[in-house]
Amino acid sequence: MNIASSAPRQDRPTLIIIGHGMVSHHCAEQLVAHGATARYDIHIFGEERSRAYDRVHLSEYLSGRDAESMALGDGSLYTTPGLTLHLNADVLEIDRTRQEILTSRGRHRYDHLILATGSYPFVPQIDGAADNARLVYRTLDDLDTIRMAARNARRGVVVGGGLLGLEAANALRLLGLEAHIVEFAPRLMPVQLDPQGGAALKARIEALGVQVHLDRATHAIHPGSTHRYGMHFADGDVLETDLIVFSAGIRPRDELARTAGLALGKRGGIAIDSLCRTSDPAISAMGECAAWNDAVFGLVAPGYQMARCVAARLCDMEASPFEGADMSTKLKLLGVDVGSIGDAHAATPGARSYRYIDEITASYRRLVISEDGKRVLGAVLVGDNSYYDTLSQYVSNGIAPPADPAALILPQGSATPTLGVDALPASATICSCHNVTKGAICNAIDAGCTDLGELKACTKAATGCGGCAALLKQVFDHELTARGVAVDKSLCEHFALTRQELYACVRVEGLETFEQVHARHGRGNALGCDICKPIVGSVLASCWNRPIQNPALVPLQDTNDTFMANMQKNGTYSVVPRIPGGEITPDGLIAIGQIARKYQLYTKITGGQRIDLFGAQLHELPEIWAELIEAGFETGHAYGKSTRTVKSCVGSTWCRYGVQDSVAMALHIEHRYKGLRAPHKLKFAVSGCTRECAEAQSKDIGVIATEQGWNLYVCGNGGMRPRHAELFATDLDDATLIRYIDRLLMFYISTADKLQRTAVWRESLEGGLDYLKAVVIDDSLGLAGQLEAQMQLIVDRYECEWANALSDPEKLKRFRTFVNDSRSDPDIRFEQERGQPRPARVIPIAEEIAS
């Protein structure tokens, strides 16, 4: 498969990248950003079937995400003219003499070649290791193989207790298997953790039900008696299992370089200098296949550093040399916080350590200090990574520790010293994945960036592994405050409250009008403004769900809500009847068609499985809606910050792949939440199987059928800044699914900022998805019953807003273009295009005069 943007130009040199993983993708991004496609024809060859994907969160593939949702970027990068991506394309040989590569599809000449071939899982030579006793955990194909093997299995073993081994064990657990870890070393994560840290991690993991076997060398694998395989250890013990996944380390993929005669590192890997050049000046190497000073780096951040170096050099820009990398890691393995910073093993001569051990909770912290006590050299954390950001900044920036260094790792309290972000120098690295410094963040703010999401988009900070998200927010908030930008969080001049505070006041005090809200909590002009009135109107609707056409509420609505229709560019309005789940009878289709023809409306089927009718004039809206309601329709709320659509596939009713009735569930969800007002619009989808035809993983609330029930995804959205929804809960029955959605939506409505989508709200939550799960699933705040009751009030008070307006002659008086005249607007003109009316093209005055 090729993703080609344009035919190659023969007058430009050819740049080829072999390998299409995370590092290759980052290099391609850098090359395009530097304008490399104006000087090179760039070809990227990847052996997998999918675009580069997020290997850092590989286990999420087994919890419901698909290859596309895990892909890096939206694919538009590979439509850049001058760049061609070749997928499922093996490179077989490098001919350095002719400067060509040989692929499974032919030969390609290069002027410069970049090797980003990555690494492969190391599997030791063990007698009997074959088939399901020789699985590996590296690619999406590997995970598909593991998934198939797990279907008829009860127990799975991972050989290797390092980073990837623990991730693999989590993957087996997600598949419902009894998971075991076998590690040759005397502790887990021996590279990152010391003996005490390894012991704390073992205790926490075993408390989760994963059994850990240390100091075990697998001698042979033979058929088992109660399970398929028996793992025979050197000490004579036997562990039976149904499948075995090897995650015993990685080895650089240097076979192409080896056969081409390139210089290699002493322990393998393609030898590179500080500018990532190999022994052939026409070839560069980067990522896990490269060896700098005979060292291979197995984390993504060093690979990104190399990618930036290569891209800058090939574009004749000043390249920051690669001089090693910080191998600090901040992880959550099987739900357990693990951190390793700098010299975690106190290998520096004279280094001294402070240790905090809590055997009750299996928490462990170690702080490594220089011999003179003037520098923090490293740290180990197990059980609580809240110390990580502060300690990493002490290490990376050489900040002197406090008089009592031990206070840095003691339980946090009022006496715990904290490192304010104002103490960080401009050169301090905030995001190591994308090499974003505090200075770069300050520059973005100075350039006008005042939104955290916008900051992430323009700097890419916290878009890699995400480990720096908390620190990024601290720096961002501090710098805004320092510039006087975010000191006042008032809604406007009339309310010295945030939206969340205002919502709480309205809910607790039972306020139902703007006048009441202003009298209790407002200031200045009691009429309000265009900022506070719509927000108060939205909050009142979210709390009490009274008809927005009531005289006291109408002045709070914007134009669309006032007339319950979306105003279009030529002053007409669109009409969108609700079509729950996309299901509609032939009679309903005929009725819509007849109404559209009668009023000469432009019709279009939307992406949310509804029908839009465009071109209605203001005075026509009541007539059109009267006919739609008579035909059985109701308002679709397309004009409101409210529930819009619940998209659905046909599910098990028709589809041979469907495992649940997705249409029935979509109808149930849409009828329950229709009319629900929120800080921003809400979109839902229900898919009847994992093929995901309804695209549920891009919605605020996404539901995907499983054999046992429903998987719930939350807080995704499309738009200018798309975000995939996250898996929230699995295999839910109908009642539990609705209960969780009730709680989550009401919690969002009560805590979100003004005009904040669920995706942005989720990213702003301290504690992230785990915190949200604790609130919604575990009821950690004790609010579950209250949130469900609040949602039930909204459901019970629902009525079609157009039906309500049509029943009141006073409300209908507003639907006139002219106050004392029922005529149409003479300035609205249409012309025909593709058999339908569309707004007439406006002729500029100068053009009209010239004619």
Side-chain angles (χ1 to χ4, degrees):
M1 174 185 175
N2 292 356
I3 301 177
S5 55
S6 62
R9 281 173 42 183
Q10 300 304 318
D11 58 336
R12 297 189 298 183
T14 298
L15 171 61
I16 288 179
I17 303 176
I18 300 177
H20 186 50
M22 296 180 73
V23 173
S24 170
H25 173 80
H26 188 63
C27 186
E29 286 184 318
Q30 296 294 306
L31 288 167
V32 171
H34 295 334
T37 51
R39 59 191 301 178
Y40 295 104
D41 279 318
I42 303 175
H43 291 260
I44 304 174
F45 291 85
E47 64 183 1
E48 295 189 62
R49 67 188 188 278
S50 305
R51 286 191 293 111
Y53 51 86
D54 183 1
R55 294 188 196 275
V56 176
H57 301 96
L58 194 60
S59 62
E60 294 180 16
Y61 182 64
L62 295 179
S63 62
R65 294 185 63 182
D66 59 12
E68 183 59 32
S69 73
M70 296 185 68
L72 300 174
D74 59 6
S76 60
L77 175 71
Y78 300 103
T79 62
T80 304
L83 188 153
T84 304
L85 173 61
H86 307 261
L87 295 178
N88 205 20
D90 292 329
V91 177
L92 308 175
E93 180 186 341
I94 299 171
D95 186 337
R96 292 171 55 202
T97 303
R98 300 174 63 178
Q99 291 198 183
E100 290 181 343
I101 64 168
L102 174 64
T103 75
S104 53
R105 302 172 188 169
R107 305 183 75 90
H108 299 263
R109 190 184 182 284
Y110 66 83
D111 293 280
H112 196 90
L113 179 66
I114 303 174
L115 297 176
T117 48
S119 61
Y120 66 91
F122 169 67
V123 179
Q125 294 295 324
I126 299 175
D127 182 37
D131 300 324
N132 286 352
R134 198 182 186 280
L135 303 172
V136 293
Y137 182 86
R138 188 66 177 166
T139 68
L140 294 180
D141 286 340
D142 293 337
L143 267 62
D144 283 334
T145 303
I146 293 172
R147 195 200 309 264
M148 291 293 294
R151 288 185 174 178
N152 299 311
R154 290 179 291 122
R155 177 184 294 172
V157 171
V158 175
V159 177
L163 295 176
L164 285 177
L166 295 176
E167 283 287 343
N170 187 45
L172 296 184
R173 199 172 64 143
L174 289 173
L175 291 170
L177 301 186
E178 175 191 322
H180 291 247
I181 297 172
V182 172
E183 169 57 46
F184 176 78
R187 66 178 181 273
L188 293 172
M189 293 182 65
V191 175
Q192 290 82 14
L193 302 182
D194 60 7
Q196 293 91 340
L201 179 59
K202 177 177 181 290
R204 280 182 170 259
I205 287 178
E206 288 186 330
L208 295 172
V210 177
Q211 298 186 45
V212 179
H213 310 264
L214 301 175
D215 278 319
R216 290 290 191 272
T218 306
H219 177 69
I221 300 172
H222 300 306
S225 56
T226 59
H227 294 271
R228 184 172 179 180
Y229 305 105
M231 300 178 66
H232 293 256
F233 301 127
D235 61 2
D237 284 351
V238 177
L239 174 63
E240 293 202 358
T241 182
D242 299 305
L243 60 86
I244 303 172
V245 179
F246 283 89
S247 186
I250 59 173
R251 298 292 184 270
R253 293 193 58 179
D254 56 14
E255 61 272 19
L256 284 174
R258 190 182 300 272
T259 57
L262 292 175
L264 303 178
K266 291 180 181 179
R267 293 183 296 276
I270 308 161
I272 61 170
D273 63 10
S274 60
L275 292 178
C276 301
R277 297 174 296 202
T278 70
S279 56
D280 185 330
I283 302 178
S284 301
M286 60 189 187
E288 293 174 340
C289 69
W292 177 83
N293 281 1
D294 293 322
V296 174
F297 301 86
L299 299 177
V300 68
Y304 281 1
Q305 291 179 40
M306 296 181 196
R308 289 190 289 270
C309 175
V310 171
R313 177 167 53 82
L314 293 178
C315 293
D316 295 331
M317 301 174 64
E318 183 178 353
S320 298
F322 181 80
E323 297 176 343
D326 178 12
M327 298 299 286
S328 299
T329 52
K330 177 184 179 183
L331 307 158
K332 186 178 284 290
L333 301 166
L334 287 94
V336 179
D337 280 348
V338 178
S340 177
I341 304 169
D343 183 8
H345 294 285
T348 304
R352 300 177 296 169
S353 295
Y354 296 88
R355 288 183 172 90
Y356 172 80
I357 302 174
D358 180 353
E359 294 181 351
I360 304 300
T361 63
S363 296
Y364 173 75
R365 295 188 284 279
R366 178 185 186 181
L367 183 72
V368 182
I369 302 292
S370 62
E371 185 175 16
D372 60 9
K374 295 181 178 179
R375 287 200 62 188
V376 178
L377 301 178
V380 175
L381 303 169
V382 176
D384 186 355
N385 269 342
S386 64
Y387 299 80
Y388 185 94
D389 290 338
T390 296
L391 292 174
S392 66
Q393 293 301 327
Y394 271 100
V395 173
S396 60
N397 293 292
I399 299 171
D404 180 11
L408 291 173
I409 59 171
L410 290 176
Q412 295 177 346
S414 58
T416 302
T418 58
L419 177 66
V421 292
D422 56 331
L424 298 178
S427 59
T429 299
I430 304 301
C431 174
S432 58
C433 287
H434 291 284
N435 196 32
V436 182
T437 64
K438 178 184 175 183
I441 293 169
C442 292
N443 290 339
I445 294 172
D446 290 337
C449 180
T450 58
D451 176 78
L452 185 59
E454 181 185 348
L455 180 71
K456 290 180 179 180
C458 68
T459 65
K460 294 205 168 179
T463 62
C465 70
C468 65
L471 180 60
L472 176 67
K473 188 174 188 304
Q474 290 175 29
V475 173
F476 183 62
D477 290 347
H478 175 270
E479 294 303 321
L480 284 178
T481 301
R483 289 160 175 76
V485 175
V487 174
D488 187 0
K489 296 183 179 180
S490 301
L491 279 180
C492 63
E493 63 190 68
H494 303 106
F495 289 95
L497 300 170
T498 65
R499 183 201 169 274
Q500 299 95 316
E501 293 166 341
L502 183 69
Y503 179 93
C505 293
V506 168
R507 172 69 70 181
V508 172
E509 299 174 22
L511 309 178
E512 293 209 29
T513 66
F514 183 87
E515 289 72 21
Q516 291 175 342
V517 176
H518 189 274
R520 291 284 190 92
H521 303 286
R523 59 189 180 185
N525 191 330
L527 297 177
C529 65
D530 290 341
I531 296 175
C532 62
K533 288 196 297 184
I535 293 172
V536 171
S538 172
V539 167
L540 293 174
S542 296
C543 289
W544 317 122
N545 203 18
R546 301 296 188 188
I548 63 171
Q549 294 296 304
N550 285 358
L553 300 178
V554 168
L556 307 181
Q557 315 305 326
D558 63 17
T559 299
N560 288 349
D561 277 306
T562 298
F563 299 115
M564 298 183 294
N566 286 327
M567 177 181 280
Q568 305 303 319
K569 61 189 292 184
N570 66 339
T572 60
Y573 294 82
S574 63
V575 173
V576 188
R578 184 173 299 282
I579 302 177
E583 182 182 74
I584 187 170
T585 65
D587 287 342
L589 282 172
I590 291 170
I592 289 177
Q594 289 175 334
I595 291 168
R597 184 168 56 189
K598 176 178 178 180
Y599 293 95
Q600 300 182 42
L601 305 176
Y602 170 92
T603 59
K604 185 181 186 302
I605 296 174
T606 73
Q609 298 178 331
R610 302 198 293 194
I611 299 176
D612 274 2
L613 308 174
F614 291 84
Q617 294 198 37
L618 184 60
H619 69 280
E620 295 176 319
L621 290 175
E623 302 170 25
I624 293 171
W625 273 109
E627 295 189 33
L628 284 170
I629 289 172
E630 185 178 356
F633 294 99
E634 59 185 8
T635 179
H637 288 93
Y639 45 82
K641 297 292 186 285
S642 57
T643 298
R644 296 290 183 85
T645 61
V646 181
K647 191 174 182 179
S648 170
C649 65
V650 295
S652 59
T653 305
W654 292 94
C655 179
R656 65 184 186 276
Y657 300 114
V659 295
Q660 300 287 351
D661 189 349
S662 57
V663 177
M665 179 53 71
L667 292 171
H668 180 40
I669 290 175
E670 186 154 355
H671 283 306
R672 180 166 185 80
Y673 302 115
K674 61 188 179 184
L676 175 66
R677 299 280 170 157
H680 212 290
K681 61 186 176 185
L682 297 169
K683 294 187 178 182
F684 302 64
V686 183
S687 284
C689 73
T690 56
R691 284 171 173 78
E692 251 283 72
C693 292
E695 301 168 332
Q697 293 179 74
S698 64
K699 301 294 189 287
D700 298 278
I701 298 293
V703 179
I704 301 177
T706 70
E707 295 283 356
Q708 289 75 39
W710 307 96
N711 283 355
L712 173 61
Y713 291 78
V714 300
C715 301
N717 66 247
M720 295 178 64
R721 185 169 163 260
R723 185 186 192 276
H724 281 286
E726 296 173 284
L727 182 62
F728 192 71
T730 59
D731 296 330
L732 304 176
D733 57 54
D734 292 6
T736 304
L737 173 68
I738 297 301
R739 189 160 57 246
Y740 286 177
I741 297 175
D742 279 359
R743 297 176 185 177
L744 187 141
L745 288 177
M746 290 310 300
F747 187 58
Y748 157 64
I749 288 171
S750 63
T751 60
D753 202 356
K754 57 183 183 295
L755 298 178
Q756 190 175 49
R757 297 199 72 165
T758 58
V760 181
W761 168 73
R762 151 66 188 88
E763 291 173 354
S764 69
L765 285 179
E766 295 292 342
L769 190 66
D770 289 339
Y771 169 72
L772 194 56
K773 287 181 178 179
V775 172
V776 172
I777 298 175
D778 303 328
D779 193 18
S780 61
L781 300 180
L783 295 175
Q786 182 179 337
L787 296 173
E788 291 173 23
Q790 290 171 1
M791 181 61 76
Q792 193 59 49
L793 174 67
I794 300 298
V795 174
D796 293 341
R797 285 186 176 176
Y798 171 79
E799 62 177 304
C800 172
E801 291 170 355
W802 262 108
N804 175 278
L806 290 171
S807 65
D808 189 338
E810 288 300 314
K811 294 177 180 178
L812 293 179
K813 289 180 179 179
R814 286 194 308 278
F815 294 93
R816 289 182 178 180
T817 303
F818 306 103
V819 175
N820 297 315
D821 195 334
S822 60
R823 286 185 306 148
S824 302
D825 187 341
D827 293 328
I828 294 178
R829 295 181 296 163
F830 295 92
E831 58 188 36
Q832 291 290 309
E833 184 174 77
R834 296 186 297 277
Q836 293 211 78
R838 54 150 288 171
R841 187 173 74 92
V842 178
I843 302 176
I845 294 176
E847 186 177 327
E848 189 172 12
I849 293 174
S851 64

